[in-house]
Amino acid sequence: MLLRLVLAQVATGAGEPRVVVDERKAMPGRGAWVHPTLACLDLAVRRRAVPRALRAAAPLDLTAVRDYLERADR
């Protein structure tokens, strides 16, 4: 099983996109796929794979994804 990550617009603030987990695998846009483990997410961060897969120019904040994986691990 893989976890799909997508860029979503934030409803509040400056409207900057953030990376969210697409649990239903139905959100529009490009997706980045990772195994649902913290080790795989750490490897993707080290390799800068998520911004590259999503074609994002700036570094992305993956704390929401990390929180999701930590909650799922419990």
Side-chain angles (χ1 to χ4, degrees):
M1 181 177 99
L2 293 174
L3 194 63
R4 183 171 187 254
L5 310 177
V6 295
L7 282 178
Q9 292 294 328
V10 177
T12 61
E16 301 228 355
R18 65 182 180 118
V19 179
V20 296
V21 176
D22 182 10
E23 293 184 43
R24 295 184 356 195
K25 299 172 180 64
M27 293 178 74
R30 294 189 61 81
W33 296 86
V34 296
H35 290 99
T37 64
L38 287 172
C40 186
L41 180 64
D42 291 338
L43 183 61
V45 168
R46 278 197 311 268
R47 293 182 177 180
R48 298 182 192 101
V50 176
R52 189 172 54 243
L54 297 176
R55 295 186 182 167
L60 300 172
D61 182 21
L62 296 171
T63 55
V65 177
R66 184 173 301 284
D67 293 342
Y68 175 87
L69 290 174
E70 287 173 353
R71 281 193 312 268
D73 193 32
R74 291 181 188 176

